[in-house]
Amino acid sequence: MHSNANYRNIEFKSLKYLKNEITYGGYLAALCSPCFIISTSIILDIKISIPMLLISYLLPLIIYSYDYYKDIDKDIKNNSERATFLKRKADRYPFVFAFYSLFLVSLLVLYSNWGMVVFIVAIMAGGILYNVVLKNLTKKIPVFKNMFTALTWALVGAFFPLFYYSMSINISFIIAFSFIFMRVMNNVMFFDLKDIENDRSEGLKTLPVMLGKKGAINILQALNIISFIPLVVGVYINAVPLFALASAFLGMYSFYYIKKAEKTNDKELETVSHTLADMEFILWPVVFVIAKIMIGL
């Protein structure tokens, strides 16, 4: 009986470690990038490839890993569960960065073109530059952090296939970019709800700091609705297919987790942010594939 109890305890700890690794290691959040690209490809009827998706996954994974590693000591002061978990393996991060970077470079050499390389380098440079220099602009420019993050995600999500296949830009890509930008803007501002006190102490002008938790949630719900306007316009002008309107389901999903934030504390919000909020973007391809099949019928 004692050995069985020990086995179950080891099994529980292993599962908990795996859950924390996926959630706090950036692996779940990095899935957003290929999910955006798959969604854009479905809506615009563009082929996708495994190397393209791997490159798009490694790009945010490197940026997120650097961001988390850089902010460990700051976040741990706020009793962040993520920072506490990552602190235990901080000495391994240089090797992790090296592996990710080598893998990314190998894929770019084998499967990419110069336009794609320049695009990737610009995105990575922007991500690192933000963490080193630009982040302080949020002390002067309201929601700058959110706009910069949303801009980066939208550029990758909408234009990655364009650069990968050396395609020409058109109104459909602009519509995809606008939709992703507003959806991500809503999502990253939601993440700020759990960091109100820390951001206020740093003088950052985030939406929750300026409006308070309740005011920020009201704005998030309004933006949740407004974000679907680009797709509605796209369907109206025949720039995107009718099944794109199935994204309304995503609005209902976002409404749920934003509403849930009203009655949760900071620790619970961290869990909601790294699970329900991050999971929204993973649902995108599923929703669009189902909608496309149903419309096709």
Side-chain angles (χ1 to χ4, degrees), residues 240-260:
V240 297
L242 180 62
F243 70 79
L245 297 182
S247 57
F249 169 79
L250 303 171
M252 293 185 285
Y253 180 85
S254 297
F255 176 84
Y256 168 73
Y257 71 71
I258 293 172
K259 187 72 175 176
K260 187 178 179 67

mmCIF file of all heavy atoms in Angstrom, residues 240-260:
data_model
loop_
_atom_site.group_PDB
_atom_site.id
_atom_site.type_symbol
_atom_site.label_atom_id
_atom_site.label_comp_id
_atom_site.label_asym_id
_atom_site.label_seq_id
_atom_site.Cartn_x
_atom_site.Cartn_y
_atom_site.Cartn_z
ATOM 1 N N VAL A 240 -13.273 37.748 -48.160
ATOM 2 C CA VAL A 240 -13.115 36.518 -47.374
ATOM 3 C C VAL A 240 -14.412 35.722 -47.479
ATOM 4 O O VAL A 240 -15.488 36.299 -47.704
ATOM 5 C CB VAL A 240 -12.784 36.807 -45.882
ATOM 6 C CG1 VAL A 240 -11.460 37.520 -45.743
ATOM 7 C CG2 VAL A 240 -13.892 37.600 -45.219
ATOM 8 N N PRO A 241 -14.356 34.395 -47.324
ATOM 9 C CA PRO A 241 -15.546 33.554 -47.482
ATOM 10 C C PRO A 241 -16.536 33.699 -46.333
ATOM 11 O O PRO A 241 -16.187 34.150 -45.236
ATOM 12 C CB PRO A 241 -14.972 32.142 -47.535
ATOM 13 C CG PRO A 241 -13.683 32.232 -46.791
ATOM 14 C CD PRO A 241 -13.139 33.599 -47.090
ATOM 15 N N LEU A 242 -17.749 33.278 -46.586
ATOM 16 C CA LEU A 242 -18.833 33.389 -45.615
ATOM 17 C C LEU A 242 -18.544 32.650 -44.314
ATOM 18 O O LEU A 242 -18.907 33.120 -43.236
ATOM 19 C CB LEU A 242 -20.135 32.858 -46.235
ATOM 20 C CG LEU A 242 -21.398 32.892 -45.363
ATOM 21 C CD1 LEU A 242 -21.753 34.335 -44.987
ATOM 22 C CD2 LEU A 242 -22.565 32.215 -46.074
ATOM 23 N N PHE A 243 -17.866 31.505 -44.391
ATOM 24 C CA PHE A 243 -17.641 30.710 -43.178
ATOM 25 C C PHE A 243 -16.761 31.425 -42.160
ATOM 26 O O PHE A 243 -16.683 31.020 -40.994
ATOM 27 C CB PHE A 243 -17.064 29.327 -43.518
ATOM 28 C CG PHE A 243 -15.648 29.332 -44.016
ATOM 29 C CD1 PHE A 243 -14.581 29.446 -43.136
ATOM 30 C CD2 PHE A 243 -15.378 29.193 -45.370
ATOM 31 C CE1 PHE A 243 -13.269 29.428 -43.591
ATOM 32 C CE2 PHE A 243 -14.066 29.171 -45.834
ATOM 33 C CZ PHE A 243 -13.011 29.292 -44.940
ATOM 34 N N ALA A 244 -16.084 32.503 -42.564
ATOM 35 C CA ALA A 244 -15.256 33.277 -41.633
ATOM 36 C C ALA A 244 -16.093 33.861 -40.499
ATOM 37 O O ALA A 244 -15.579 34.133 -39.407
ATOM 38 C CB ALA A 244 -14.521 34.381 -42.371
ATOM 39 N N LEU A 245 -17.392 34.041 -40.743
ATOM 40 C CA LEU A 245 -18.276 34.605 -39.719
ATOM 41 C C LEU A 245 -18.502 33.636 -38.560
ATOM 42 O O LEU A 245 -19.062 34.025 -37.537
ATOM 43 C CB LEU A 245 -19.619 35.002 -40.337
ATOM 44 C CG LEU A 245 -19.564 36.109 -41.401
ATOM 45 C CD1 LEU A 245 -20.969 36.440 -41.892
ATOM 46 C CD2 LEU A 245 -18.893 37.363 -40.844
ATOM 47 N N ALA A 246 -18.061 32.393 -38.729
ATOM 48 C CA ALA A 246 -18.148 31.430 -37.625
ATOM 49 C C ALA A 246 -17.270 31.868 -36.455
ATOM 50 O O ALA A 246 -17.397 31.342 -35.343
ATOM 51 C CB ALA A 246 -17.723 30.044 -38.096
ATOM 52 N N SER A 247 -16.419 32.847 -36.711
ATOM 53 C CA SER A 247 -15.567 33.383 -35.649
ATOM 54 C C SER A 247 -16.387 34.001 -34.518
ATOM 55 O O SER A 247 -15.852 34.272 -33.439
ATOM 56 C CB SER A 247 -14.614 34.437 -36.221
ATOM 57 O OG SER A 247 -15.345 35.470 -36.862
ATOM 58 N N ALA A 248 -17.692 34.203 -34.753
ATOM 59 C CA ALA A 248 -18.558 34.732 -33.698
ATOM 60 C C ALA A 248 -18.537 33.815 -32.473
ATOM 61 O O ALA A 248 -18.713 34.270 -31.337
ATOM 62 C CB ALA A 248 -19.984 34.884 -34.220
ATOM 63 N N PHE A 249 -18.290 32.534 -32.707
ATOM 64 C CA PHE A 249 -18.171 31.592 -31.588
ATOM 65 C C PHE A 249 -17.030 31.997 -30.670
ATOM 66 O O PHE A 249 -17.117 31.860 -29.442
ATOM 67 C CB PHE A 249 -17.931 30.168 -32.110
ATOM 68 C CG PHE A 249 -17.542 29.184 -31.031
ATOM 69 C CD1 PHE A 249 -18.496 28.631 -30.193
ATOM 70 C CD2 PHE A 249 -16.208 28.843 -30.839
ATOM 71 C CE1 PHE A 249 -18.128 27.740 -29.190
ATOM 72 C CE2 PHE A 249 -15.829 27.964 -29.836
ATOM 73 C CZ PHE A 249 -16.800 27.413 -29.011
ATOM 74 N N LEU A 250 -15.947 32.502 -31.268
ATOM 75 C CA LEU A 250 -14.794 32.935 -30.486
ATOM 76 C C LEU A 250 -15.157 34.114 -29.593
ATOM 77 O O LEU A 250 -14.627 34.259 -28.496
ATOM 78 C CB LEU A 250 -13.635 33.320 -31.412
ATOM 79 C CG LEU A 250 -13.172 32.232 -32.378
ATOM 80 C CD1 LEU A 250 -12.181 32.803 -33.387
ATOM 81 C CD2 LEU A 250 -12.566 31.067 -31.611
ATOM 82 N N GLY A 251 -16.072 34.964 -30.085
ATOM 83 C CA GLY A 251 -16.542 36.084 -29.278
ATOM 84 C C GLY A 251 -17.262 35.612 -28.030
ATOM 85 O O GLY A 251 -17.098 36.181 -26.947
ATOM 86 N N MET A 252 -18.069 34.563 -28.182
ATOM 87 C CA MET A 252 -18.788 34.003 -27.027
ATOM 88 C C MET A 252 -17.811 33.374 -26.039
ATOM 89 O O MET A 252 -17.973 33.495 -24.827
ATOM 90 C CB MET A 252 -19.815 32.973 -27.504
ATOM 91 C CG MET A 252 -20.956 33.578 -28.306
ATOM 92 S SD MET A 252 -22.244 32.373 -28.752
ATOM 93 C CE MET A 252 -21.407 31.490 -30.067
ATOM 94 N N TYR A 253 -16.783 32.717 -26.570
ATOM 95 C CA TYR A 253 -15.763 32.108 -25.717
ATOM 96 C C TYR A 253 -15.025 33.187 -24.931
ATOM 97 O O TYR A 253 -14.806 33.054 -23.715
ATOM 98 C CB TYR A 253 -14.792 31.318 -26.587
ATOM 99 C CG TYR A 253 -13.676 30.636 -25.829
ATOM 100 C CD1 TYR A 253 -13.867 29.381 -25.260
ATOM 101 C CD2 TYR A 253 -12.423 31.249 -25.692
ATOM 102 C CE1 TYR A 253 -12.835 28.753 -24.567
ATOM 103 C CE2 TYR A 253 -11.395 30.624 -25.003
ATOM 104 C CZ TYR A 253 -11.599 29.375 -24.444
ATOM 105 O OH TYR A 253 -10.590 28.758 -23.748
ATOM 106 N N SER A 254 -14.642 34.270 -25.612
ATOM 107 C CA SER A 254 -13.938 35.372 -24.943
ATOM 108 C C SER A 254 -14.819 36.051 -23.911
ATOM 109 O O SER A 254 -14.348 36.443 -22.839
ATOM 110 C CB SER A 254 -13.478 36.410 -25.977
ATOM 111 O OG SER A 254 -12.554 35.853 -26.868
ATOM 112 N N PHE A 255 -16.098 36.204 -24.252
ATOM 113 C CA PHE A 255 -17.035 36.802 -23.305
ATOM 114 C C PHE A 255 -17.044 36.010 -21.993
ATOM 115 O O PHE A 255 -17.068 36.596 -20.903
ATOM 116 C CB PHE A 255 -18.448 36.824 -23.889
ATOM 117 C CG PHE A 255 -19.497 37.334 -22.945
ATOM 118 C CD1 PHE A 255 -19.728 38.698 -22.796
ATOM 119 C CD2 PHE A 255 -20.259 36.454 -22.171
ATOM 120 C CE1 PHE A 255 -20.682 39.168 -21.907
ATOM 121 C CE2 PHE A 255 -21.209 36.911 -21.280
ATOM 122 C CZ PHE A 255 -21.423 38.281 -21.142
ATOM 123 N N TYR A 256 -16.952 34.687 -22.107
ATOM 124 C CA TYR A 256 -16.985 33.825 -20.923
ATOM 125 C C TYR A 256 -15.781 34.064 -20.022
ATOM 126 O O TYR A 256 -15.926 34.301 -18.815
ATOM 127 C CB TYR A 256 -17.033 32.354 -21.343
ATOM 128 C CG TYR A 256 -16.774 31.394 -20.200
ATOM 129 C CD1 TYR A 256 -17.730 31.185 -19.205
ATOM 130 C CD2 TYR A 256 -15.551 30.727 -20.099
ATOM 131 C CE1 TYR A 256 -17.481 30.318 -18.148
ATOM 132 C CE2 TYR A 256 -15.292 29.868 -19.048
ATOM 133 C CZ TYR A 256 -16.268 29.667 -18.073
ATOM 134 O OH TYR A 256 -16.012 28.827 -17.018
ATOM 135 N N TYR A 257 -14.558 34.022 -20.591
ATOM 136 C CA TYR A 257 -13.387 34.146 -19.705
ATOM 137 C C TYR A 257 -13.176 35.583 -19.236
ATOM 138 O O TYR A 257 -12.615 35.811 -18.165
ATOM 139 C CB TYR A 257 -12.127 33.513 -20.302
ATOM 140 C CG TYR A 257 -11.470 34.198 -21.471
ATOM 141 C CD1 TYR A 257 -10.782 35.395 -21.335
ATOM 142 C CD2 TYR A 257 -11.464 33.583 -22.723
ATOM 143 C CE1 TYR A 257 -10.134 35.994 -22.405
ATOM 144 C CE2 TYR A 257 -10.817 34.180 -23.807
ATOM 145 C CZ TYR A 257 -10.163 35.376 -23.635
ATOM 146 O OH TYR A 257 -9.516 35.958 -24.707
ATOM 147 N N ILE A 258 -13.616 36.572 -20.020
ATOM 148 C CA ILE A 258 -13.532 37.961 -19.560
ATOM 149 C C ILE A 258 -14.518 38.171 -18.405
ATOM 150 O O ILE A 258 -14.199 38.821 -17.402
ATOM 151 C CB ILE A 258 -13.828 38.944 -20.704
ATOM 152 C CG1 ILE A 258 -12.723 38.880 -21.761
ATOM 153 C CG2 ILE A 258 -13.924 40.378 -20.171
ATOM 154 C CD1 ILE A 258 -13.017 39.668 -23.021
ATOM 155 N N LYS A 259 -15.709 37.621 -18.545
ATOM 156 C CA LYS A 259 -16.721 37.702 -17.489
ATOM 157 C C LYS A 259 -16.240 36.996 -16.227
ATOM 158 O O LYS A 259 -16.440 37.471 -15.110
ATOM 159 C CB LYS A 259 -18.026 37.060 -17.978
ATOM 160 C CG LYS A 259 -19.214 37.220 -17.050
ATOM 161 C CD LYS A 259 -19.739 38.638 -17.051
ATOM 162 C CE LYS A 259 -21.001 38.772 -16.219
ATOM 163 N NZ LYS A 259 -21.471 40.180 -16.150
ATOM 164 N N LYS A 260 -15.551 35.876 -16.423
ATOM 165 C CA LYS A 260 -15.036 35.092 -15.295
ATOM 166 C C LYS A 260 -14.027 35.897 -14.486
ATOM 167 O O LYS A 260 -13.906 35.729 -13.271
ATOM 168 C CB LYS A 260 -14.372 33.814 -15.835
ATOM 169 C CG LYS A 260 -13.932 32.820 -14.778
ATOM 170 C CD LYS A 260 -13.340 31.582 -15.436
ATOM 171 C CE LYS A 260 -12.867 30.582 -14.391
ATOM 172 N NZ LYS A 260 -13.969 30.003 -13.612
#
